[in-house]
Amino acid sequence: EVQLVESGGGLVQAGGSLRLSCVLHGFTGNNYVIAWVRQGPGKEREGVSCISYRDDSTEYAASVKGRFTISRDSAENTVYLQMNSLKPEDTAVYYCAADLDCRPRNDYDYWGQGTQVTVSS
């Protein structure tokens, strides 16, 4: 059974940093991508970043490019999202998700339970 488990959320002041982790369970091979998707209060889901296990290519939303970094540690079966220079508008529940390819509409097949990130001004 495929499972994704996020952690690392919390409360941080604007300008601060957080690192989110997504531990993968039940994944085999490398024919998939892992994405971070967020949903802020009263907002639609927004794809934040995506990394391919096939070739390590990455994608970022324009709103986080230069501030967030996605990476993976295959030995630990973990994908990270390093978030720097956080802004109040980054406040959201952050989910990790999996599928064969990065999904522009964020309609991924597999989802974690989410972790809350709150950025105070």
Side-chain angles (χ1 to χ4, degrees):
E1 179 185 359
V2 168
Q3 191 178 13
L4 303 94
V5 181
E6 305 100 328
S7 63
L11 173 64
V12 64
Q13 289 188 334
S17 298
L18 281 175
R19 188 178 77 160
L20 305 183
S21 300
C22 174
V23 179
L24 313 182
H25 300 276
F27 285 78
T28 58
N30 66 347
N31 190 29
Y32 54 90
V33 303
I34 302 297
W36 287 97
V37 179
R38 68 185 181 186
Q39 187 162 22
K43 298 181 181 180
E44 294 186 353
R45 283 181 179 174
E46 176 188 16
V48 174
S49 186
C50 186
I51 186 166
S52 169
Y53 266 64
R54 290 183 291 271
D55 60 8
D56 280 329
S57 59
T58 58
E59 298 180 7
Y60 294 94
S63 58
V64 306
K65 195 170 291 185
R67 299 188 298 124
F68 291 11
T69 303
I70 192 170
S71 62
R72 67 181 182 95
D73 183 333
S74 295
E76 298 292 330
N77 293 324
T78 302
V79 173
Y80 301 100
L81 185 69
Q82 178 67 43
M83 306 186 295
N84 299 328
S85 302
L86 283 161
K87 305 175 182 180
E89 51 263 45
D90 294 318
T91 294
V93 178
Y94 284 71
Y95 301 89
C96 61
D99 212 310
L100 291 176
D101 298 288
C102 300
R103 311 290 293 181
R105 297 182 180 181
N106 301 311
D107 52 342
Y108 291 90
D109 279 344
Y110 303 98
W111 292 83
Q113 82 286 355
T115 185
Q116 176 70 47
V117 172
T118 303
V119 184
S120 63
S121 56

